[in-house]
Amino acid sequence: MNATRDHTPSNTGHRQIQFTWALLLALVIASCAVWYLLLRQPVLREELLAAVPHRYRISKSMERRLLAPRSILLAGGAGAVTLSLCLLVPRFRKQIDEVVPPGRRLLAFFAGTQSMFALAVVINVQAYYLRAYDGRPVWKIGEEEILAYDAPRVWEDAQALKSLLAPGSRVALRASENDTARGGGQKFLLHGLAYPIALFDAYPRTDDWTADPAFYRVAKKYDLQYLLDYGRLDTDDPLRVEPLY
Amino acid sequence: MGAAFVLLYAAGLVAAGYGLLALAPAATLHRMLRLEKFGAALLLGQGAVALGVLFGLFAGGTLSGTWYAGGCGLGLFLLLLGHRKWGALWLCRADGASLPMFPAPVVLFLLPGFLALAGWAVLAAAFLPTVDYDSLATWTYRVRVLFAERNLYVEALRDPVRLVPMRQHPFLLPVMEVGPVFALGRFSYAATHLPHVMTLAGFYALSWAAVRRLAHAGKTARAGALFAALLLMPAPAVQLSQESVREIMIGFYGLGAVYFLARWAETPRWLFILLAGFYGLVAQQIKVEGIPFVLGLALGAALLQVGSEARVRRLRLLQWGAAVALVAWLALPWWVVLNTLPQPTVHGYDFSADLDVTFGDRLRAVPKVMRVALSELFARPELYGLSCFAAIAGLGYGWSRRNAAARFALLAAPAACLAGILMVYLGRNERLPAERNVTFSRRMMCAVPALVFAGVYIPVRARRQPGAKNDVTDEVDRATPARDVP
């Protein structure tokens, strides 16, 4: 019975290496499963997000940017399958044993983890578009649809303004909001999206624009044609346009 | 039909890049990897054509698609003129290029991640507009204006009450982006993405070339780390569709600049320092973050004079001076135009204003900004994976007196860029709402690729045998008169 066992150092080493890789496989599967379960806990998820204080706080962006539990699980699964393949195919197993000596295992682990991160991020970003656009892949979503989704209201308002005024119209703009935060900088977004209508950062301080000498000067100098009082949050009439002359 | 023109235009840009490379001596081209030349041509062709068009616009010309076609045609003409170097450009393989880099099982691990990132970048570029706020409000607006009005819309730039002129940002990137729009014949976000994807390809090619050079020099562990840290970093591929592209483009050109600075550290060849300088200039012409980068690059190149032999130092000094002069000469037109523009009423942030009053506040903001910076670098697996850890490990390992100057030199440009970004955020914390710090991630992309490269890569110098010729002595002998030889 003892004769069937081979205790030569090379075979023992080989078994140790096999054990190391099997352990690594188990670790990959276990860590992905643990992260999957942990990230599904909203409180812990929020704590992790707070580790990076400048990360977007709005839910939409978080969905897109955070490595979501499902993507980690899928990428971990892909990594585990690859690792299993390496262990099952004798040629690959031999090559790994030869080429990745123990001193390089950390590097191999780093490279494998990095590859899984890459895979998880791509799965995640793809999943975001599938989730946001009724399960359609990115090639079936139009550019305008994405703009309307990401710049809500202001995209529609810009299109409405373009249908109201002729291209090249020169408009004095007053916006109810003047912040430039994401999703809130309507003044500048409207300007960018309403092109070729030209919007100017000027508005009369009096009811009769000719009675405001500063505005009168600007209106004459830049040949302004319309006044636009833009209220993004006004659901009835966000674009209050009136001709100057 | 339009798509065919776009592809033709892309091919023209690559040809222009190769045409410009063909101006270099064949001996230099022979010693470069094909991947290296491909990456260099991708970055060079786009940058040179766009810069030429930009100068035409500064001169008051009316933009048209023929300008871009002319730029590509000129590059093609140079390529035809240098037909004797075609072998050096494509057919010759530099030493070690055929070495197998990784064994099959390791590739099995690495390739899925890389292919997923590259595939997503192409897919996103073809179908997704950049929905970042500044891109919609400012940058694609500039592209629309250039395409529709065929000039830099000088009226808007000179007009202090017009919204979003953004006088502090140069115009090279919109000029680069409008080229494929002309080829397509209509405005399309997909067309504007063409330069981004091509530059990403250049970034990948140069990163891969760096990996091969390290592997060939016997530094296989470092090569593997560089591959994983740069080619598998998610941010360059994913951020193109998720964030504004201008900072990422600075990151790509910044990596090109630092890569060729590393090559110059290895061998003092004219092509390498001129390419490094040109890519640094393109980074500077894309956005304001490029200014500290290009200054750091010049400082880094100057550092490489330290410790070299007198003859090599003389040559390096001459090359450094020529590169600095080239950058200054090419950057000058924008500064002239900029100084003719009035301050706008909006978008006129000046973060250095009231420095004497807010100095104490800025000092108090240091811990907060450092926390933001460190969390960005080390706690964003969805952007950088573990790349910054690899950079730290690469930095800490393998220092020697022989390579210290070169490693500091490579770090200078991204470190200066990073320092500049942090300085701005010290001011921003007091002047702008805290939520504006979300832009930190995309700004870090200016520095992170080059920083990771500089952390992991070690310039590979050919060993000099007594009395024998090598790459460095060849170049010095060619450049200096015989009387200098003792």
Side-chain angles (χ1 to χ4, degrees):
Chain A
M1 192 172 157
N2 280 349
T4 57
R5 287 194 183 161
D6 186 356
H7 286 292
T8 56
S10 64
N11 265 5
T12 310
H14 191 71
R15 270 200 294 276
Q16 278 176 347
I17 289 167
Q18 273 189 322
F19 175 73
T20 311
W21 284 107
L23 188 68
L24 188 61
L25 177 61
L27 271 176
V28 168
I29 294 169
S31 63
C32 286
V34 167
W35 275 110
Y36 174 73
L37 292 173
L38 288 180
L39 286 175
R40 286 182 69 82
Q41 308 305 314
V43 178
L44 189 84
R45 212 177 143 100
E46 197 56 36
E47 287 291 320
L48 282 171
L49 285 171
V52 182
H54 58 286
R55 209 195 290 261
Y56 283 121
R57 308 312 299 167
I58 58 172
S59 60
K60 189 171 74 178
S61 296
M62 278 203 298
E63 276 173 21
R64 191 166 45 184
R65 278 151 214 280
L66 186 68
L67 289 171
R70 197 176 306 164
S71 62
I72 286 186
L73 199 68
L74 285 171
V81 166
T82 315
L83 206 55
S84 311
L85 201 66
C86 292
L87 288 170
L88 291 174
V89 179
R91 194 173 132 250
F92 284 172
R93 195 170 60 217
K94 194 171 165 222
Q95 275 187 339
I96 280 190
D97 292 348
E98 285 169 359
V99 177
V100 191
R104 300 274 167 83
R105 299 265 157 90
L106 183 65
L107 175 65
F109 184 71
F110 159 65
T113 311
Q114 189 84 342
S115 187
M116 276 190 274
F117 272 134
L119 212 53
V121 166
V122 172
I123 292 168
N124 198 39
V125 78
Q126 175 67 31
Y128 162 74
Y129 285 99
L130 286 173
R131 200 164 44 236
Y133 297 95
D134 315 321
R136 280 177 293 159
V138 286
W139 55 88
K140 290 201 172 166
I141 311 168
E143 281 182 350
E144 296 196 349
E145 202 178 340
I146 292 173
L147 290 169
Y149 185 88
D150 273 85
R153 295 299 308 270
V154 73
W155 169 257
E156 286 91 7
D157 293 341
Q159 301 315 304
L161 188 64
K162 282 206 258 190
S163 64
L164 275 176
L165 304 177
S169 302
R170 304 168 74 80
V171 181
L173 170 70
R174 176 170 68 187
S176 60
E177 290 179 66
N178 188 22
D179 62 317
T180 53
R182 191 177 178 81
Q186 309 310 318
K187 193 171 179 175
F188 304 110
L189 265 188
L190 186 72
H191 167 80
L193 296 174
Y195 183 80
I197 293 168
L199 302 180
F200 288 79
D201 187 34
Y203 210 80
R205 281 169 294 183
T206 53
D207 288 338
D208 176 14
W209 65 274
T210 53
D212 180 347
F215 179 78
Y216 184 83
R217 215 168 29 248
V218 166
K220 288 288 172 196
K221 183 177 177 187
Y222 296 111
D223 192 22
L224 301 184
Q225 298 159 320
Y226 298 94
L227 291 173
L228 169 60
D229 187 6
Y230 178 50
R232 182 178 66 101
L233 300 177
D234 184 344
T235 48
D236 295 330
D237 185 20
L239 298 166
R240 292 177 287 272
V241 182
E242 52 181 290
L244 275 177
Y245 302 101
Chain B
M1 193 64 190
F5 276 122
V6 173
L7 291 178
L8 197 66
Y9 172 67
L13 288 176
V14 180
Y18 273 116
L20 287 166
L21 274 186
L23 295 173
T28 303
L29 297 174
H30 271 298
R31 287 180 189 272
M32 292 169 73
L33 299 176
R34 276 189 299 190
L35 261 176
E36 205 172 12
K37 285 176 275 196
F38 177 63
L42 277 173
L43 299 188
L44 187 60
Q46 292 188 88
V49 170
L51 206 63
V53 171
L54 184 67
F55 288 165
L57 284 165
F58 284 157
T62 304
L63 183 64
S64 77
T66 53
W67 287 25
Y68 292 92
C72 295
L74 194 62
L76 200 60
F77 175 70
L78 288 175
L79 190 60
L80 292 174
L81 215 60
H83 64 280
R84 283 163 198 256
K85 294 178 190 165
W86 285 6
L89 279 175
W90 294 302
L91 300 179
C92 293
R93 310 182 76 158
D95 294 345
S98 58
L99 272 180
M101 203 166 58
F102 296 115
V106 179
V107 171
L108 211 61
F109 269 104
L110 302 184
L111 224 49
F114 175 68
L115 289 178
L117 286 175
W120 172 255
V122 173
L123 199 65
F127 298 105
L128 299 177
T130 310
V131 291
D132 149 78
Y133 173 84
D134 283 0
S135 289
L136 292 177
T138 308
W139 293 86
T140 49
Y141 162 76
R142 286 180 163 194
V143 176
R144 286 173 190 273
V145 169
L146 275 170
F147 181 60
E149 304 190 24
R150 311 295 167 108
N151 59 39
L152 280 181
Y153 208 52
V154 177
E155 181 198 3
L157 273 175
R158 289 180 192 284
D159 171 6
V161 295
R162 187 74 185 266
L163 287 158
V164 207
M166 299 286 276
R167 74 189 282 282
Q168 64 268 52
H169 295 319
F171 255 94
L172 186 72
L173 190 58
V175 167
M176 209 183 264
E177 290 168 341
V178 81
V181 174
F182 273 113
L184 189 66
R186 62 181 170 81
F187 177 83
S188 148
Y189 286 98
T192 64
H193 274 316
L194 180 78
H196 314 147
V197 175
M198 287 179 71
T199 317
L200 176 71
F203 163 77
Y204 282 150
L206 290 180
S207 305
W208 207 308
V211 171
R212 295 197 84 119
R213 288 189 60 76
L214 284 175
H216 175 55
K219 300 176 190 302
T220 47
R222 207 169 269 274
L226 192 65
F227 185 98
L230 274 182
L231 289 150
L232 295 176
M233 190 197 291
V238 176
Q239 291 284 79
L240 279 179
S241 56
Q242 304 297 300
E243 286 281 10
S244 179
V245 290
R246 55 201 183 276
E247 286 87 358
I248 300 165
M249 290 290 277
I250 291 179
F252 294 158
Y253 272 95
L255 180 112
V258 178
Y259 177 84
F260 278 101
L261 187 68
R263 295 289 278 122
W264 191 64
E266 293 163 357
T267 318
R269 289 189 181 274
W270 281 95
L271 179 65
F272 298 154
I273 187 66
L274 291 179
L275 281 179
F278 183 75
Y279 295 153
L281 166 90
V282 171
Q284 179 267 319
Q285 289 285 307
I286 288 175
K287 200 167 163 258
V288 70
E289 285 87 348
I291 295 174
F293 189 93
V294 78
L295 292 177
L297 192 71
L299 180 71
L303 261 178
L304 287 171
Q305 323 291 329
V306 177
S308 43
E309 295 170 34
R311 286 172 66 210
V312 179
R313 190 163 59 240
R314 212 174 306 156
L315 175 64
R316 281 194 187 277
L317 208 57
L318 181 68
Q319 292 175 337
W320 181 83
V324 169
L326 174 79
V327 170
W329 181 64
L330 291 176
L332 191 65
W334 167 248
W335 295 105
V336 172
V337 170
L338 183 65
N339 282 310
T340 62
L341 304 175
Q343 287 286 349
T345 55
V346 287
H347 272 198
Y349 304 131
D350 177 8
F351 293 105
S352 60
D354 305 326
L355 190 61
D356 50 338
V357 181
T358 59
F359 188 71
D361 296 334
R362 287 173 195 234
L363 272 185
R364 275 190 291 280
V366 168
K368 185 180 171 191
V369 171
M370 289 311 291
R371 188 193 162 200
V372 167
L374 291 175
S375 68
E376 174 70 26
L377 290 172
F378 298 107
R380 301 298 299 266
E382 74 275 31
L383 291 183
Y384 314 115
L386 304 174
S387 298
C388 298
F389 290 98
I392 289 284
L395 267 180
Y397 183 72
W399 281 93
S400 72
R401 276 181 64 186
R402 196 159 163 263
N403 67 26
R407 298 190 74 185
F408 273 122
L410 300 194
L411 280 169
C417 184
L418 191 60
I421 293 168
L422 294 183
M423 291 301 287
V424 167
Y425 276 85
L426 284 180
R428 284 179 80 110
N429 267 286
E430 298 308 316
R431 307 275 295 278
L432 293 174
E435 64 191 34
R436 294 296 302 273
N437 279 344
V438 292
T439 58
F440 196 70
S441 300
R442 69 159 200 252
R443 289 206 167 80
M444 289 295 268
M445 272 308 291
C446 299
V448 168
L451 205 59
V452 169
F453 173 80
V456 180
Y457 191 82
I458 286 187
V460 184
R461 286 188 197 228
R463 290 225 172 96
R464 188 173 180 180
Q465 303 294 335
K469 293 270 185 185
N470 67 15
D471 210 14
V472 177
T473 51
D474 275 356
E475 186 67 19
V476 177
D477 289 348
R478 229 163 37 80
T480 52
R483 62 185 161 76
D484 279 344
V485 181

